[in-house]
Amino acid sequence: MPPMKRNLTRLTLATLMVAGTLAPAPLFAKPAMSNNEAGTMDSAGWMRPDPKMDRFIADLMAKMTIDEKVGQLSLLTSDWDSTGPTIRQGYQDDIRKGRIGSIFNAFTAKYTRELQRLAVEETRLKIPLLFGYDVIHGHRTIFPISLGESASWDLKAIEKAARISATEASAEGIHWTFAPMVDVARDPRWGRMSEGAGEDVYLGSKIAVARVRGFQGDDLKRVDTILATAKHFAAYGAAQAGRDYHTVDISERTLRDVYLPPFKAAADAGAATFMTSFNEYDGVPASGSHYLLTDVLRKKWGFKGFVVTDYTSINEMVPHGYSRDLKQAGEQAINAGVDMDLQGAVFMDHLAKSVAEGKVDVKRVDEAVKAILEMKYRLGLFDDPYRYSDEAREKATVYRPDFLEAAREVARKSIVLLKNKGNALPLAASAKSIAVIGPLGNSKEDMIGSWSAAGDRKERPVTLLEGMQARAPKGTTVAYAQGAGYQFADAGKRDGFAEAIALAQKSDVIIAAMGEHWNMTGEAASRTSLDLPGNQQALLEELKKTGKPIILVLMSGRPNSIEWADANVDAILEAWYPGTMGGHAIADVLYGDYNPSGKLPVTFPRNVGQVPIYYDMKNTGRPIKPEDPNAKYVSRYLDTPNTPLYPFGYGLSYTSFAYSPVTLDKAKIRPGEKLTASVTVTNSGARDGEEVVQLYVRDLVGSVTRPVKELKGFEKISLKKGEKRTIRFTLTDADLAFTRQDMSWGSEPGQFKLWVGPSSAEGSEAAFELTE
Ligand code: NOJ
């Protein structure tokens, strides 16, 4: 029987970016089948017409009763994992009775085979089950949390992580992952920021595509590919005050310009399924939103897969105050465009009656059933329902050494060097005694973060201490003292301080491993403070008094307020939750075996009062006056600057990169014409390294106000010391499109500024004009 119930977490994938990246495709144009910018894969291949499949499904559906049809629209959890409130037991019996067509939170070849047998041997029509799971950032081998992976800005690496996750999950019977989470997130109080790609529309869209491709590969018939889910549709990241599941109230323009593009990109890349969000949009819960699910997703974007709800989100339309009872909620959901009810048992209990009463047209039920059966067919389950449940393949696949190596590689790429005063890092050979101090220094369970699927949390994860001990040169001692606690209840305690201070005093350097318990981010993990929880800050201040160099290694799933640390410690690394091989990856960076190359996918505020703060904000009519920081009657705080602690796109390296001034091949472009921006980047430091070269644009005057900067391209390059390379970005008017005052999508003629540089706050500037 099942391993113990566990809690949450999840994952992703990527693509080689070439110079000249493109903006997300127009939101409201029909998606072209070939909208794969890198052009190397055809992950939307499943959309191709298949007359044989159509005949097979039509024959099958002709035999189905309404109850059997409703069964295909119902998805329940097994008791192997818990990812929400438990409301229904007895799923085996439901399978036998044909009351459910899909199961989630069940895995291993053996267990999925056992459950599949119930469906294909004990039900009348023998329709195979579809097995779903939250495979978010790894299945067994766990990669950094999704926000961390995104900090790599390395689309190939992200795609590879998703590919490996799919390979492991599919070997354990999983057909379908509830990932990628493509919600733009701009409020770090919201714990689910950790599950996505951060605050940016453009970066988020590229990463969405990479992850869909990684999970689905180029052919769903391959036994190592799984269906992807773009979630949570839509605008879940805009929860008011960062409180999970809270109300969303944003304009239609913000929905279109900020929250929808990553979903559109995922749909264009062929994401097979979409998951609705818990929140309302414009007063209508997403699971009841005909506008989102039918008008936008199906009609405007041409989505051909199926839509699943989030966990009991149909039921939740009752407390939302949108439905008077569950039966009405089910009718509203299916009529809006929901195909599958996740865990709510609302369709199961009420839909047949609603059809009989004429409240739901059976044609809508048939559409939903067809979309789901098609996916089962395309996965090859009607040929062999057990093809994913193969114990020999499972044994040969999970925790493969090359997967673990890839997890280490992605983890080191995800680490961001935030500060490095006096080249405190990499560690010098003279550091003969190293003190690892802090609650995250030797904690296996924290390394893999939340949504860690079937990943082992107890034995396998390599801690920071273990990584350092394995790497430290002979003759160097690495010792550990926890010193502080990271639970809220630890605030004010000092019990571990003396031991930690004593260790620090006799050591050459302190590595302070601090941050948040893994369960403080992810679902239902909102905070009102971004401070280091517990008594960590107090310990850090005591450690400072020892006069020893302090390297702060942060592990968390959101930006923390570390203004004090920025002013007082020697170096800071943001390591997120780095995954199964995290300790090795951090040691690789601390010792300089890997030169850090991560860049922040999210702005780090100075304190929580600045939230929401993101780089592509609007200017206001009374912007601050840099020449007069104390000016009155301008848009500023009295007690904190407007600027963040660390801006989006920021991250240091052990080498330095010099940028030439950016040059443009022309000063004006007409619609359809290409503009090329070129910059030469030189590795001007003493080590080989990687840099993420970023292109930002500002539309100076619009029919509606425009952000002060928007990312429109990036390229991650590797340069040997002394090497230089010219990077070229190509833009057209399509890259400058937005939702205009009349709500149409397109660009507007006028003046633009453009910057190319190492972050959203730096870069050399040029100007151009878009003419009529
Ligand atoms: C609720 C979460 O919001 C969603 O992301 C997840 O996929 C489902 N539970 C299933 O575990």
Side-chain angles (χ1 to χ4, degrees):
M1 264 306 280
M4 356 134 308
K5 295 192 182 181
R6 65 184 80 228
N7 259 319
L8 341 164
T9 300
R10 98 191 29 225
L11 147 61
T12 338
L13 101 87
T15 283
L16 175 60
M17 297 284 302
V18 287
T21 47
L22 301 171
L27 280 176
F28 295 101
K30 269 257 180 221
M33 291 278 286
S34 59
N35 194 16
N36 292 340
E37 288 97 329
T40 51
M41 294 176 96
D42 183 11
S43 44
W46 62 264
M47 289 188 218
R48 284 194 209 101
D50 184 342
K52 199 173 148 217
M53 174 184 78
D54 294 343
R55 278 194 302 277
F56 176 86
I57 290 175
D59 288 351
L60 179 58
M61 285 180 60
K63 294 183 206 138
M64 292 171 81
T65 64
I66 184 71
D67 290 334
E68 284 164 334
K69 288 179 179 174
V70 172
Q72 291 304 307
L73 309 190
S74 302
L75 164 65
L76 289 185
T77 183
S78 92
D79 55 7
W80 274 41
D81 204 343
S82 165
T83 56
T86 303
I87 60 156
R88 194 185 170 85
Q89 302 293 337
Y91 57 95
Q92 286 96 338
D93 201 42
D94 287 323
I95 299 173
R96 281 195 193 91
K97 295 201 170 114
R99 286 164 63 84
I100 47 178
S102 305
I103 282 278
F104 70 113
N105 290 337
F107 51 92
T108 72
K110 185 161 177 284
Y111 193 49
T112 53
R113 184 171 274 270
E114 223 172 285
L115 296 179
Q116 192 66 292
R117 198 193 59 73
L118 301 179
V120 299
E121 291 185 22
E122 299 192 25
T123 64
R124 188 178 80 93
L125 292 174
K126 310 188 183 331
I127 300 174
L129 292 170
L130 190 65
F131 290 105
Y133 197 30
D134 288 288
V135 177
I136 308 303
H137 55 111
H139 175 66
R140 292 273 180 188
T141 302
I142 303 299
F143 290 82
I145 56 164
S146 305
L147 187 64
E149 278 187 3
S150 304
S152 73
W153 293 54
D154 187 328
L155 299 177
K156 267 195 194 151
I158 294 171
E159 178 166 342
K160 186 172 173 186
R163 183 86 293 283
I164 290 173
S165 310
T167 306
E168 280 192 339
S170 62
E172 294 217 285
I174 306 298
H175 309 127
W176 174 27
T177 176
F178 305 138
M181 191 272 226
V182 304
D183 296 307
V184 168
R186 300 183 154 189
D187 189 332
R189 293 172 296 183
W190 190 52
R192 303 202 76 170
M193 170 180 272
S194 61
E195 298 174 40
E199 75 186 36
D200 188 50
V201 178
Y202 181 89
L203 178 63
S205 301
K206 296 293 174 192
I207 290 177
V209 171
R211 288 176 167 159
V212 170
R213 287 184 181 150
F215 289 129
Q216 296 191 172
D218 52 5
D219 182 1
L220 287 183
K221 274 246 147 56
R222 269 177 51 175
V223 80
D224 63 353
T225 55
I226 58 179
L227 308 178
T229 307
K231 73 183 190 185
H232 307 81
F233 194 60
Y236 184 34
Q240 284 179 353
R243 175 151 60 80
D244 206 5
Y245 316 125
H246 200 9
T247 304
V248 163
D249 192 3
I250 56 170
S251 70
E252 173 70 16
R253 189 180 315 284
T254 300
L255 176 79
R256 294 188 188 190
D257 286 355
V258 177
Y259 291 95
L260 290 188
F263 285 100
K264 173 68 164 59
D268 288 349
T273 77
F274 264 57
M275 182 185 283
T276 62
S277 53
F278 288 123
N279 57 281
E280 64 175 61
Y281 171 67
D282 198 16
V284 180
S287 293
S289 173
H290 191 274
Y291 172 65
L292 288 174
L293 305 181
T294 299
D295 299 341
V296 174
L297 182 60
R298 289 217 166 78
K299 294 196 178 150
K300 298 277 188 353
W301 295 356
F303 175 69
K304 298 278 186 295
F306 70 83
V307 173
V308 63
T309 67
D310 202 346
Y311 205 110
T312 60
S313 67
I314 299 179
N315 316 53
E316 291 164 28
M317 297 208 292
V318 176
H320 266 294
Y322 187 66
S323 314
R324 63 178 168 267
D325 55 25
L326 292 178
K327 178 165 166 289
Q328 189 196 19
E331 290 158 6
Q332 290 169 314
I334 193 151
N335 287 335
V338 163
D339 299 310
M340 192 186 277
D341 169 5
L342 187 151
Q343 193 61 15
V346 174
F347 287 176
M348 181 189 274
D349 292 343
H350 304 284
L351 192 52
K353 186 153 186 264
S354 300
V355 171
E357 287 173 357
K359 302 263 173 46
V360 174
D361 190 336
V362 74
K363 283 199 200 117
R364 173 78 265 278
V365 173
D366 285 349
E367 271 170 16
V369 174
K370 184 164 175 280
I372 292 161
L373 292 178
E374 277 185 14
M375 286 305 171
K376 293 184 175 184
Y377 184 97
R378 294 193 190 269
L379 288 166
L381 299 180
F382 286 105
D383 296 333
D384 175 4
Y386 300 110
R387 63 198 298 262
Y388 281 67
S389 306
D390 170 345
E391 287 187 58
R393 182 162 82 96
E394 172 178 55
K395 197 154 173 261
T397 305
V398 301
Y399 293 122
R400 252 168 53 181
D402 56 322
F403 292 173
L404 290 167
E405 197 42 48
R408 178 173 182 163
E409 178 69 20
V410 176
R412 48 199 214 171
K413 282 174 186 281
S414 74
I415 293 171
V416 187
L417 178 63
L418 296 174
K419 178 179 184 188
N420 196 14
K421 193 176 91 192
N423 292 332
L425 288 177
L427 291 171
S430 55
K432 293 282 181 223
S433 52
I434 294 171
V436 175
I437 293 174
L440 286 135
N442 195 27
S443 168
K444 287 194 178 280
E445 62 161 5
D446 286 302
M447 299 308 284
I448 61 175
S450 73
W451 290 113
S452 52
D456 167 50
R457 201 179 275 290
K458 293 210 165 80
E459 306 289 332
R460 280 198 180 254
V462 179
T463 67
L464 169 52
L465 177 67
E466 290 167 339
M468 287 299 290
Q469 284 169 335
R471 171 59 182 82
K474 237 179 152 187
T476 298
T477 60
V478 183
Y480 176 66
Q482 180 176 325
Y486 54 9
Q487 298 295 354
F488 299 123
D490 292 318
K493 294 184 185 162
R494 296 179 73 88
D495 1 338
F497 283 21
E499 184 199 358
I501 293 163
L503 175 64
Q505 273 160 345
K506 62 178 192 204
S507 303
D508 295 328
V509 56
I510 300 165
I511 313 252
M514 297 186 172
E516 298 185 1
H517 183 272
W518 68 270
N519 222 346
M520 288 182 189
T521 43
E523 190 177 347
S526 297
R527 293 188 61 194
T528 60
S529 160
L530 304 176
D531 295 347
L532 296 175
N535 54 355
Q536 299 178 93
Q537 177 66 33
L539 177 61
L540 206 51
E541 290 177 23
E542 290 303 321
L543 294 174
K544 171 79 182 168
K545 294 180 191 157
T546 65
K548 302 287 175 154
I550 302 178
I551 316 295
L552 174 63
V553 178
L554 269 180
M555 282 183 240
S556 77
R558 58 160 63 85
N560 291 112
S561 326
I562 50 165
E563 211 175 8
W564 184 92
D566 178 68
N568 289 283
V569 306
D570 298 277
I572 305 176
L573 282 184
E574 174 57 78
W576 318 103
Y577 297 110
T580 309
M581 299 294 278
H584 288 316
I586 297 170
D588 289 341
V589 171
L590 290 173
Y591 271 105
D593 302 338
Y594 180 79
N595 186 354
S597 66
K599 299 272 187 172
L600 292 177
V602 64
T603 301
F604 265 53
R606 294 173 188 275
N607 60 53
V608 74
Q610 290 185 311
V611 167
I613 179 170
Y614 45 91
Y615 83 95
D616 57 335
M617 60 190 180
K618 304 286 187 77
N619 201 33
T620 92
R622 293 189 176 191
I624 48 163
K625 300 180 177 163
E627 69 287 358
D628 181 5
N630 296 322
K632 189 139 174 91
Y633 305 119
V634 296
S635 179
R636 70 176 182 90
Y637 301 104
L638 296 178
D639 52 1
T640 302
N642 284 5
T643 52
L645 184 61
Y646 305 120
F648 173 83
Y650 168 81
L652 303 171
S653 163
Y654 296 152
T655 188
S656 52
F657 297 99
Y659 282 68
S660 72
V662 58
T663 57
L664 303 182
D665 66 339
K666 30 183 111 63
K668 292 184 182 188
I669 51 165
R670 286 191 305 272
E673 229 182 327
K674 281 185 184 155
L675 174 77
T676 302
S678 310
V679 76
T680 300
V681 183
T682 307
N683 181 340
S684 50
R687 289 168 172 265
D688 300 350
E690 291 162 89
E691 170 69 329
V692 181
V693 184
Q694 302 161 41
L695 168 81
Y696 295 87
V697 165
R698 177 171 183 183
D699 184 348
L700 297 189
V701 179
S703 61
V704 291
T705 58
R706 307 288 297 123
V708 293
K709 259 183 190 180
E710 291 176 285
L711 183 71
K712 293 293 178 187
F714 65 89
E715 193 178 347
K716 186 161 190 172
I717 56 169
S718 174
L719 291 178
K720 303 242 173 263
K721 66 176 171 187
E723 194 187 351
K724 61 169 81 154
R725 185 162 331 147
T726 300
I727 309 299
R728 292 189 179 81
F729 294 98
T730 307
L731 290 174
T732 71
D733 62 310
D735 301 296
L736 308 172
F738 61 99
T739 304
R740 296 175 288 209
Q741 192 173 65
D742 64 0
M743 299 310 282
S744 64
W745 177 263
S747 59
E748 289 176 345
Q751 304 293 329
F752 291 79
K753 274 189 183 171
L754 173 154
W755 298 262
V756 178
S759 80
S760 62
E762 296 160 89
S764 82
E765 185 181 308
F768 68 95
E769 184 183 341
L770 174 65
T771 63
E772 303 270 355

